[in-house]
C-alpha cells in the first residue's frame, strides 16, 4: 500500500466510531456548566466547535515524534490525502493479543485480527467511512460457549465455524453522510447507534451486531432530533417459503434531546420493531405508515391492532456541579395501571431504568474521569409473543446485554497522561435464569405468553445467579489516529448459582487498534 501525505488544507470533519473509552475523554467539555452539548446520540461527527479543539488535541497526542518514520507511523494515518475538494484517509488495523487463563485448565488464549478503515470527505457536505475486520481466535471458555450457543461473537457478528474450539468471524461497517445545511444530516450505511449518557443503554445500545440503517438528524440549537430506520435479522424466525435467508425485522426509532438549560436536559424516545413477515412466512416488508419522522409511533401501532413491539422511553441529565452529572433512563415496553399500582407483580408491567453519576477531573485531577451506574429491568421486558418481534438483532439484545430480570451496579474509572491510558472497571449484578423448564423472564427470546406465572413476579426470580466482573487495562498509545496501542489487561469474571460456578481469571497482552466497543462484561 502506498503511503501518501498531501497537505494543502486543514483536515475536515470526520466520522468518529463510538467507543466508551475514547468518548469519555470529552467529559470535561460535554459536562461543563459553560456548554450545552447534546451528549446522548452516538456516534457523532467531529464537527462540533465546542468539541473540535479537544478532538484535535487527542488526535495529536505525543506529536513530538521526530523523523519521517516516526511521524508516519506514530502521528498520522497510513494514507492521508487532503485537497481542497476532498480528503481521504486509510489505515491497517491490527488486533493481535495473547493471554493466559488461570482458571480454565491453564489454557492460553489468543486473538488475530486484521482490519482496515477508510474515510474521508467530498466537498463540504459529504463524508464517508468504512471498516472491516477478519478475526480468528481461541477465546476464554465463557466467550466460546456464548458464540457456540448463539452463533454470534458477543457484540460483533455471527461466527463462521459454530461449534469449534476456535472461533472465526468477519464483520464490516460503512456509511455515507450528507449534510445539505448545518441543521440537517442524512446518514445511511451499516453500523450501530447508542442512546444515552451511560455505559449501558436501556433504550438502544451498541451491543448487538451492526445492521443496515437510514438516519436523519436535525440539530436546532437546544433541540436535537433523530429518526432512524433499521433492518434487523432473526435466525430463529420462521422461514419465508422459498427463501433461505434469515427472517427480517424492521426497526423504527425516534429520539428527541432537549437542552433546557446549561444544567438540565431531557429526552423522549419511541420505537417500533415489526416483523417482516407473519408467523407462517407471508411477507409484510417495510411498513410505510411508520415512515414519517414526525409522528408518535405507538398510536399508529395501536391502530394496526398492536401487532408489533412498541417501546417508549425517557432520558434526563442534570449537571449538579461543573463537569459532573446525574443521569438516567426509563424504558417502558408494556404498562397496565391497575396491575402496576396494585403491586401484584403482574407480567404485564415490563420496564427498566438506569441511574448514574459521571464526570471528569475527579479530585481536581485532570483527565481522571469516572462513572458509577445502576441498571435494572423487570422480568419479560423487551420480550414479545415470539422472538421475531422482540427487541433484538441477530440473536442479541439491542438494549442491555443481560436481557431482562436483572439488577446491575458498575463503576469505571479512566485516567490518561501523555500516551498512557489506564482503566479500571468493576461490575456486580444478579439475575434470575430459567429453571425446571419454566420461563422466568431473563431470556428475551422466550415468549412472555409462556411466563412462569402471571402475578407475583419480581426481579431476580428463577435460578438466582450472582455475577462479578473486574477488569484493569494499561495501554501505551502508539498512534492516536486509529488508536494503535500496546495494551496489558487483566480480567476476573465469576458467575455463581446453586447449580454451577463459572470462573475466569485472565491476563492478556497485545498490539491493538481501532475505535470499537468490545463487550466481555456479560
Amino acid at each position: 500500500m502506498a503511503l501518501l501525505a498531501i497537505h494543502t488544507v486543514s483536515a475536515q470533519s470526520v466520522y468518529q466510531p463510538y467507543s466508551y473509552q475514547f468518548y469519555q475523554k470529552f467529559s470535561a467539555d460535554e459536562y461543563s456548566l459553560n456548554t450545552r452539548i447534546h451528549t446522548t446520540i452516538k456516534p457523532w461527527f467531529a464537527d462540533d466547535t465546542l468539541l473540535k479543539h479537544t478532538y484535535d488535541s487527542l488526535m495529536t497526542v505525543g506529536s513530538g515524534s521526530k523523523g519521517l518514520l516516526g511521524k508516519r507511523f506514530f502521528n498520522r494515518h497510513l494514507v492521508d490525502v487532503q485537497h481542497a475538494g476532498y480528503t481521504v484517509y486509510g489505515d491497517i488495523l491490527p488486533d493481535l493479543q495473547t493471554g493466559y487463563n488461570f482458571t480454565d485448565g491453564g489454557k492460553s488464549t489468543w486473538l488475530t485480527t486484521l482490519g482496515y478503515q477508510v474515510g474521508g470527505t467530498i466537498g463540504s457536505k459529504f463524508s464517508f467511512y468504512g471498516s472491516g475486520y477478519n478475526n480468528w481466535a481461541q477465546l476464554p471458555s465463557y466467550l466460546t460457549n456464548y458464540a457456540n450457543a448463539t452463533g454470534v461473537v458477543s457484540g460483533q457478528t455471527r461466527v463462521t465455524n459454530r461449534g469449534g474450539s476456535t472461533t472465526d468471524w468477519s464483520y464490516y461497517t460503512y456509511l455515507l453522510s450528507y449534510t445539505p445545511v448545518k441543521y440537517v444530516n442524512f446518514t445511511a450505511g451499516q453500523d450501530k447507534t447508542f442512546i444515552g449518557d451511560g455505559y449501558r443503554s436501556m433504550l438502544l445500545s451498541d451491543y448487538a451486531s451492526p445492521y443496515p440503517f437510514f438516519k436523519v438528524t436535525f440539530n436546532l440549537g437546544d433541540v436535537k432530533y433523530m429518526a432512524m430506520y433499521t433492518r434487523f435479522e432473526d435466525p430463529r424466525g420462521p422461514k419465508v417459503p422459498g427463501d433461505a435467508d434469515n427472517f427480517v425485522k424492521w426497526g423504527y426509532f425516534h429520539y428527541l434531546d432537549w437542552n433546557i438549560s446549561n444544567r438540565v436536559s431531557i429526552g423522549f424516545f419511541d420505537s417500533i420493531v415489526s416483523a417482516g413477515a407473519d408467523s407462517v412466512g407471508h411477507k409484510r416488508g417495510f411498513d410505510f405508515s411508520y415512515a414519517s419522522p414526525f409522528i408518535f409511533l405507538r398510536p399508529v401501532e395501536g391502530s394496526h391492532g398492536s401487532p408489533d413491539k412498541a417501546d417508549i422511553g425517557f432520558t434526563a441529565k442534570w449537571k449538579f456541579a461543573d463537569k459532573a452529572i446525574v443521569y438516567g433512563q426509563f424504558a417502558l415496553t408494556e404498562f397496565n395501571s391497575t396491575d402496576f399500582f396494585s403491586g401484584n407483580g403482574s407480567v404485564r408491567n415490563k420496564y427498566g431504568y438506569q441511574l448514574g453519576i459521571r464526570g471528569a477531573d475527579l479530585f481536581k485531577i485532570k483527565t481522571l474521569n469516572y462513572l458509577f451506574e445502576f441498571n435494572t429491568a423487570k422480568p419479560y421486558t423487551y420480550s414479545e409473543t415470539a422472538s421475531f418481534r422482540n427487541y433484538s438483532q441477530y440473536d442479541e439484545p439491542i438494549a442491555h446485554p443481560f436481557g431482562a430480570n436483572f439488577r446491575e451496579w458498575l463503576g469505571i474509572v479512566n485516567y490518561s497522561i501523555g500516551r498512557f491510558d489506564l482503566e479500571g472497571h468493576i461490575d456486580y449484578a444478579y439475575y434470575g435464569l430459567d429453571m425446571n423448564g419454566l420461563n422466568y423472564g431473563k431470556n428475551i427470546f422466550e415468549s412472555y405468553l409462556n411466563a412462569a406465572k402471571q402475578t407475583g413476579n419480581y426481579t431476580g426470580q428463577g435460578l438466582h445467579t450472582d455475577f462479578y466482573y473486574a477488569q484493569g487495562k494499561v495501554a501505551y498509545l502508539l498512534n492516536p489516529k486509529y488508536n494503535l496501542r500496546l495494551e496489558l489487561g487483566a480480567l476476573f469474571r465469576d458467575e455463581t448459582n446453586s447449580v454451577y460456578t463459572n470462573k475466569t481469571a485472565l491476563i492478556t497482552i497485545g498490539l491493538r487498534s481501532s475505535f470499537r466497543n468490545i463487550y466481555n462484561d456479560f
Side-chain angles (χ1 to χ4, degrees):
M1 173 180 290
L3 302 180
L4 303 176
I6 304 175
H7 295 278
T8 60
V9 296
S10 59
Q12 300 182 43
S13 299
V14 296
Y15 167 79
Q16 179 57 49
Y18 175 59
S19 75
Y20 173 83
Q21 193 277 336
F22 182 72
Y23 273 52
Q24 59 85 29
K25 295 182 178 183
F26 294 89
S27 293
D29 294 325
E30 291 182 316
Y31 305 130
S32 167
L33 290 176
N34 299 317
T35 63
R36 291 195 192 186
I37 299 173
H38 295 284
T39 61
T40 50
I41 302 176
K42 306 175 182 78
W44 41 248
F45 293 85
D47 58 358
D48 191 312
T49 55
L50 297 173
L51 298 176
K52 193 68 166 63
H53 175 75
T54 300
Y55 179 83
D56 291 341
S57 176
L58 292 172
M59 290 294 105
T60 55
V61 169
S63 58
S65 298
K66 303 298 183 180
L68 179 62
L69 186 65
K71 291 181 178 180
R72 166 56 53 201
F73 289 102
F74 299 111
N75 298 121
R76 297 178 183 171
H77 294 291
L78 293 181
V79 174
D80 193 353
V81 179
Q82 298 187 34
H83 281 288
Y86 66 91
T87 66
V88 179
Y89 67 88
D91 299 294
I92 299 298
L93 305 177
D95 201 344
L96 309 173
Q97 189 179 66
T98 185
Y100 184 81
N101 191 344
F102 295 92
T103 54
D104 195 15
K107 186 176 73 174
S108 63
T109 64
W110 47 265
L111 170 68
T112 302
T113 296
L114 182 60
Y116 68 86
Q117 70 171 5
V118 178
T121 60
I122 304 171
S124 62
K125 298 181 178 180
F126 286 94
S127 62
F128 60 92
Y129 180 82
S131 67
Y133 304 89
N134 295 312
N135 313 268
W136 184 34
Q138 182 167 285
L139 301 169
S141 291
Y142 81 96
L143 294 176
T144 301
N145 294 339
Y146 179 92
N148 290 338
T150 63
V152 183
V153 176
S154 61
Q156 296 187 59
T157 194
R158 70 199 73 179
V159 299
T160 57
N161 63 330
R162 185 173 180 177
S165 59
T166 60
T167 306
D168 298 314
W169 70 100
S170 299
Y171 76 98
Y172 308 91
T173 68
Y174 53 88
L175 60 86
L176 177 65
S177 171
Y178 173 53
T179 306
V181 294
K182 65 179 181 178
Y183 307 107
V184 182
N185 174 263
F186 300 93
T187 304
Q190 176 165 295
D191 204 350
K192 309 177 186 183
T193 295
F194 184 98
I195 292 179
D197 281 292
Y199 174 71
R200 309 286 198 189
S201 177
M202 306 301 291
L203 301 177
L204 180 63
S205 78
D206 64 334
Y207 177 68
S209 305
Y211 42 81
F213 73 94
F214 173 77
K215 181 192 306 182
V216 57
T217 306
F218 302 90
N219 197 337
L220 306 173
D222 289 335
V223 174
K224 188 170 185 176
Y225 180 75
M226 179 198 79
M228 183 172 69
Y229 312 95
T230 65
R231 182 184 184 275
F232 299 136
E233 293 187 41
D234 187 350
R236 308 180 188 217
K239 297 295 183 183
V240 176
D243 189 347
D245 293 337
N246 289 326
F247 190 86
V248 171
K249 302 188 293 189
W250 298 95
Y252 312 82
F253 301 89
H254 296 161
Y255 178 68
L256 183 147
D257 184 48
W258 178 24
N259 289 332
I260 299 174
S261 70
N262 280 21
R263 286 184 179 267
V264 178
S265 301
I266 60 174
F268 174 76
F269 172 87
D270 70 339
S271 70
I272 296 289
V273 174
S274 70
D278 61 24
S279 59
V280 294
H282 297 144
K283 286 190 175 181
R284 174 185 176 188
F286 185 89
D287 191 332
F288 284 91
S289 65
Y290 296 134
S292 171
F294 305 112
I295 59 173
F296 290 107
L297 294 170
R298 180 63 183 89
V300 177
E301 193 263 349
S303 70
H304 293 346
S306 298
D308 302 317
K309 179 65 174 172
D311 301 314
I312 63 172
F314 304 92
T315 66
K317 78 169 182 280
W318 171 48
K319 298 177 184 177
F320 66 91
D322 190 37
K323 304 179 186 178
I325 66 166
V326 173
Y327 63 91
Q329 293 185 345
F330 180 76
L332 180 65
T333 67
E334 187 175 359
F335 173 77
N336 180 274
S337 60
T338 301
D339 289 322
F340 182 84
F341 291 109
S342 70
N344 63 0
S346 171
V347 70
R348 299 182 63 185
N349 288 312
K350 306 179 182 72
Y351 62 88
Y353 63 89
Q354 173 187 89
L355 290 172
I357 180 173
R358 68 178 296 179
D361 303 348
L362 183 63
F363 306 128
K364 298 184 179 181
I365 301 174
K366 189 174 177 60
T367 73
L368 180 58
N369 300 338
Y370 61 94
L371 176 147
F372 302 101
E373 184 174 291
F374 170 73
N375 300 291
T376 185
K378 299 287 285 185
Y380 311 104
T381 304
Y382 309 113
S383 64
E384 250 294 337
T385 55
S387 68
F388 60 86
R389 282 192 291 267
N390 75 346
Y391 207 59
S392 70
Q393 146 69 353
Y394 212 91
D395 272 356
E396 292 187 300
I398 54 175
H400 198 291
F402 286 159
N405 193 19
F406 71 88
R407 286 180 178 161
E408 177 191 40
W409 296 259
L410 65 89
I412 304 175
V413 177
N414 299 84
Y415 179 60
S416 300
I417 180 169
R419 288 184 180 261
F420 283 96
D421 284 327
L422 297 88
E423 178 179 300
H425 180 168
I426 58 173
D427 195 325
Y428 166 72
Y430 70 82
Y431 40 79
L433 301 175
D434 294 346
M435 63 179 184
N436 301 326
L438 298 177
N439 173 18
Y440 282 98
K442 182 181 187 298
N443 185 353
I444 69 170
F445 296 94
E446 294 289 334
S447 170
Y448 64 70
L449 297 178
N450 301 322
K453 48 189 175 181
Q454 294 299 306
T455 59
N457 293 285
Y458 61 91
T459 303
Q461 66 183 10
L463 180 60
H464 180 94
T465 303
D466 291 302
F467 172 86
Y468 304 89
Y469 182 90
Q471 185 175 40
K473 295 179 183 178
V474 178
Y476 181 77
L477 192 62
L478 298 175
N479 192 321
K481 297 293 188 182
Y482 49 103
N483 204 20
L484 181 68
R485 63 200 186 274
L486 295 172
E487 183 178 279
L488 175 66
L491 178 155
F492 175 78
R493 179 185 183 273
D494 184 345
E495 185 182 31
T496 301
N497 55 45
S498 61
V499 177
Y500 64 82
T501 297
N502 286 332
K503 289 187 178 182
T504 301
L506 180 70
I507 188 169
T508 60
I509 188 170
L511 175 68
R512 316 203 68 181
S513 64
S514 82
F515 301 96
R516 294 180 290 164
N517 271 337
I518 298 178
Y519 291 99
N520 297 322
D521 54 341
F522 64 94

